[in-house]
Each structure stands twice: as structure tokens, then as C-alpha cells.
Amino acid sequence: MTRRDFLGFFLLGGFLSLFRKKITGKKINSGKKQKEAMFWRRTDESK
Amino acid sequence: MGKKVQCELCPTECVLEDFQVGGCRVRINKGGVLYSLVYGKPCSVAIDPIEKKPFFHFLPATTAFSIATAGCVLGCKFCQNWQISQAKPEETDYYNLPPDDVVRQAMFYGCRTITYTYTEPTVFYEYMYDTAQIARKFNVKNTMHSCGYIKEKPLRELSKYLDAADIDLKAFTEDFYSRICGGRLRPVLDALLVLKDEGVWLEITNLVISTLNDKMDEIKEMCKWIVKNLGPNVPLHFSRFFPHYKLNNLPPTPFETLRDARNVAMDAGLKYVYIGNIRSDAENTCCPKCKNILIERIGYFVKQNNISEGRCRFCSTKIAGIWS
């Protein structure tokens, strides 16, 4: 492998890693709305 | 004032100030509205044999898609899953798995059942309820392994979609529940009665812990209560304790204690009594009439099944359970 080949692969790897971050770097559960619970009451309400 | 809410899911009935989290660690009051912090966020997802739950009279040799989130309504000192049951949701690594995906994955992996287990499913009630509704539509069964510490109204609502429940009856004294679990016995007994009334298939597990709940008089009293109130066909699993969590100082339960407990239970009139967490003949299901082995088990593996259309293959006695 020549220096030129090595540089080519190096740059290609760096370029592809940008896409990888976009694919797998999604934050899990971020921005999800919380689910309102069942079976509760406000204490100022009568049972 | 005015933003306090009271949770009415479990008998603890936490009253929560704004931004306060309940004792279960997974329900929060935000601005006068109670939210679940774990909806669609299971921290444990696995495919298990149904025998592991343990269910011995419910679709033997099938698999259960098992899920749990962080949190629990009790704080048992012997908890075997305390790393997740006593954790806050943010302290666990959880997946993003909404109810429809749970059902989809269960079907993809050929699981006949979805089981809500490992921690206490009551704490992820909304997640369980929505999943169970979808599962029912696709003919996937719903089961839960619970401590039964849940109020009547939510339990009756859930029972509409629940096919089977394994309830941990941890002991038969209020003192044990108070000192060791941080709860009460009475609500658990009430939950068992509700499940029976709703026609949910019921199995009971009792973890026998040396010096704490291994008195044969108490076990006898518990078995008599089960026979009288739930009937003799309810399978009872005596499970072997191993040192865990805050009870690291106690030894594993001797086999002799478990064997004696089983004898007491059978003398009290229970037809199906098993010993778990240790290999023995007491893992097998025997016909209560002809005494032949109906289901031979080695751990969670079913070696042979002699139940045909819910009856003993040898003498045609009807065997209680859900078999197909």
C-alpha cells in the first residue's frame, strides 16, 4: 500500500464516520412525551 | 396547595407534592398530574421458558416474552432483582420499546405469552395494560408475576386482559410483610381473591427463608387459607432462598425444610405443590388420582408431557390449568 492509498482510505474512513454518527448516534427516548398515569386523584377532589 | 395528587394504584397510596416521585420511584407528580416515568422503557427484555416464571399449569414448554421496568412497590430485603427493582429509571439502561413493539417482537420470536415480571409489574401498570390490550387482539397471552400489592380497582381493570398470574405470597404474617418487605399482607390476600373472582388462572409462589418464614405452623395456616379461599387446585411453588441483597447473612434454605413445607401443603389439601430453585422430583406434576407423572421437568425443561386435552393420559382425570 502506497502513502497515497493510505491517505485515501484514511480520508474515506473519516468521511464515513460522519454518516455513522448520524445513523447510530440517535439519543434513545429523548423528546418522548411522558405517559399520564392511571388511577390517581387530586387531593382537593373528593374520592 | 392544589397540586398535590394521590396515587391510587397500590395500597401505599402515596400523596405527592409537585415534582415528587412516589415510593415506587417511577410515578411523578408534575403540575398536579401524575405521570409514569417508565412507559415503554423496559430495562429487562428476555425470552424465557414459561416454567421460569414459574407457571407449571399454563402452556407448558412454551416461551414467554418477558419485560420489566425499574421500580417496585415493596422493598423486600431478600429481593433477587434488587439492582433494577430498587433503582430509579434513570439508573438503569433501558430500551425504547412501545407496547406495539413488545407484541410484534413476541410474535416474531414465536412466544405464546408476554410476561410482566422480574420487578413488580404494578409499577408499570399503564405500559402493561396497553401492551396486554394489543396482545389480546393478536391472540398472545398475558401473564404477570407480581407481589399482588395492588388495589382492587386497577387489578379488576387489568384482569380483563390477563390470562394468568403468579403471585408471590411472601409469608403469612403481617409482621413479616411489615419488617422484611415494607408492606402489608392483607392487600395481597385481597388481590388473590380478586384474581380468583375474575377467573384469572392463578399460581402462588412462596419463597421459604430460614428463620424468617419457615415455621410449619405458619405454612400450614397459609395453605389452609389457600384451600379455603382459592381452592385446592391452585399450584403452590415453595421456592428455595439464596442469600441476596440485604439478607446475605442467611443460609440457603435446606431441602428438608422445603420438603416438609410441601408435605404440610399437601396434607392441607393442595393438589399441586412444587419445590423450586433446587432439582428434585418435586418439580414434576403428578396426577392427584392415579399418581402417575404427568409432566416431568428438569429445571425449566419439560422432558415429557402426559396431559392430553387437559386430562391425565392414564386415568382421564381433569387436571386444572390452561393447557392449549
Side-chain angles (χ1 to χ4, degrees):
Chain A
M1 183 187 283
T2 63
R3 284 183 182 176
R4 190 172 172 169
D5 291 338
F6 177 79
L7 187 63
F9 281 122
F10 183 80
L11 291 174
L12 184 66
F15 183 68
L16 288 175
S17 71
L18 295 174
F19 285 99
R20 186 181 162 274
K21 195 173 180 185
K22 198 171 181 183
I23 294 163
T24 62
K26 192 175 79 174
K27 275 189 181 176
I28 294 171
N29 293 321
S30 62
K32 292 272 174 194
K33 273 178 87 175
Q34 275 172 348
K35 177 82 173 177
E36 188 179 326
M38 297 162 76
F39 302 105
W40 61 277
R41 68 180 184 92
R42 292 197 175 87
T43 51
D44 52 2
E45 288 172 2
S46 58
K47 275 196 177 185
Chain B
M1 195 58 195
K3 287 196 172 180
K4 266 189 193 176
V5 303
Q6 182 168 33
C7 182
E8 296 185 317
L9 183 58
C10 92
T12 310
E13 296 187 312
C14 295
V15 176
L16 304 173
E17 301 277 356
D18 198 12
F19 275 92
Q20 193 180 357
V21 178
C24 60
R25 304 176 179 83
V26 302
R27 293 163 83 80
I28 189 171
N29 172 12
K30 278 189 182 176
V33 179
L34 193 67
Y35 291 97
S36 167
L37 291 170
V38 289
Y39 188 90
K41 299 174 182 176
C43 61
S44 293
V45 180
I47 295 168
D48 292 329
I50 194 81
E51 283 76 15
K52 189 180 174 184
K53 301 302 123 194
F55 282 110
F56 277 16
H57 288 233
F58 186 86
L59 304 179
T62 61
T63 50
F65 193 83
S66 309
I67 56 171
T69 73
C72 187
V73 291
L74 297 177
C76 303
K77 292 178 179 175
F78 51 83
C79 185
Q80 305 198 358
N81 286 327
W82 62 272
Q83 292 94 338
I84 50 175
S85 74
Q86 303 302 312
K88 297 170 188 168
E90 62 270 23
E91 290 170 345
T92 61
D93 294 325
Y94 54 79
Y95 304 92
N96 184 20
L97 201 66
D100 53 337
D101 275 351
V102 175
V103 179
R104 200 172 288 128
Q105 292 223 13
M107 293 172 75
F108 178 79
Y109 287 107
C111 301
R112 296 276 304 275
T113 307
I114 295 170
T115 301
Y116 313 95
T117 179
Y118 303 133
T119 58
E120 173 45 47
T122 300
V123 301
F124 55 93
Y125 184 92
E126 296 76 16
Y127 183 34
M128 170 168 57
Y129 184 80
D130 287 358
T131 306
Q133 269 187 315
I134 300 168
R136 175 63 61 90
K137 283 181 192 163
F138 289 93
N139 204 23
V140 177
K141 304 274 187 203
N142 291 295
T143 65
M144 70 168 179
H145 183 172
S146 166
C147 65
Y149 209 63
I150 180 170
K151 293 192 76 175
E152 181 177 348
K153 200 174 162 189
L155 184 57
R156 284 200 187 275
E157 184 61 33
L158 179 68
S159 295
K160 291 177 190 169
Y161 304 100
L162 205 56
D163 296 285
D166 190 306
I167 301 296
D168 276 330
L169 186 51
K170 295 168 191 283
F172 207 63
T173 62
E174 288 289 356
D175 180 61
F176 182 95
Y177 266 89
S178 164
R179 283 193 306 116
I180 309 296
C181 305
R184 288 178 287 134
L185 169 64
R186 190 65 245 177
V188 180
L189 300 180
D190 290 342
L192 285 165
L193 295 172
V194 168
L195 288 166
K196 165 85 178 166
D197 186 46
E198 292 287 339
V200 176
W201 174 252
L202 193 58
E203 303 201 16
I204 295 174
T205 300
N206 175 236
L207 184 74
V208 183
I209 306 170
S210 296
T211 73
L212 292 181
N213 66 351
D214 62 343
K215 291 186 186 70
M216 290 304 144
D217 288 348
E218 278 175 27
I219 291 174
K220 190 176 179 181
E221 203 182 329
M222 176 181 78
C223 295
K224 278 182 171 175
W225 185 91
I226 294 171
V227 172
K228 187 182 172 195
N229 295 281
L230 308 173
N233 287 323
V234 175
L236 174 61
H237 304 260
F238 287 112
S239 204
R240 191 186 193 200
F241 162 82
F242 286 96
H244 263 288
Y245 193 34
K246 294 179 181 174
L247 293 186
N248 262 322
N249 54 327
L250 293 179
T253 316
F255 178 72
E256 292 71 27
T257 308
L258 297 161
R259 187 195 56 205
D260 292 348
R262 182 172 186 257
N263 289 338
V264 164
M266 296 192 83
D267 288 345
L270 286 168
K271 290 181 184 172
Y272 310 102
V273 188
Y274 303 98
I275 294 176
N277 275 353
I278 189 169
R279 301 289 83 82
S280 75
D281 287 348
E283 290 178 318
N284 300 331
T285 301
C286 293
C287 175
K289 192 177 174 192
C290 71
K291 308 297 178 196
N292 277 309
I293 293 179
L294 295 177
I295 301 179
E296 186 180 0
R297 300 180 182 87
I298 300 172
Y300 305 135
F301 174 69
V302 174
K303 202 174 168 192
Q304 58 166 316
N305 185 348
N306 291 312
I307 295 174
S308 177
E309 294 175 353
R311 292 181 181 275
C312 169
R313 194 170 282 171
F314 307 103
C315 69
S316 297
T317 300
K318 194 164 187 278
I319 308 299
I322 294 173
W323 306 106
S324 59

